[in-house]
Amino acid sequence: MMPDLGKYAETVMSSYAASIVLLVALVVFSILRGRKVRAEMEKIEQRMSRNG
């Protein structure tokens, strides 16, 4: 199933690997940032509900 990439195989495969790593890192950082923002928003909402 893998196409013959000839002399460019190493370059192409390393580019694919780098792209996958960067995409995974972006997803992980987005999830972590979302959790942090959600926690901050919950704290603010609790403060607002206590203050009326």
Side-chain angles (χ1 to χ4, degrees), residues 5-11:
L5 299 173
K7 66 180 182 178
Y8 301 108
E10 184 177 327
T11 304

Side-chain angles (χ1 to χ4, degrees), residues 38 40-50:
R38 182 176 293 128
E40 289 176 10
M41 288 177 62
E42 287 177 2
K43 287 179 186 178
I44 292 170
E45 288 177 358
Q46 287 175 358
R47 261 191 281 156
M48 295 299 288
S49 65
R50 276 189 253 144

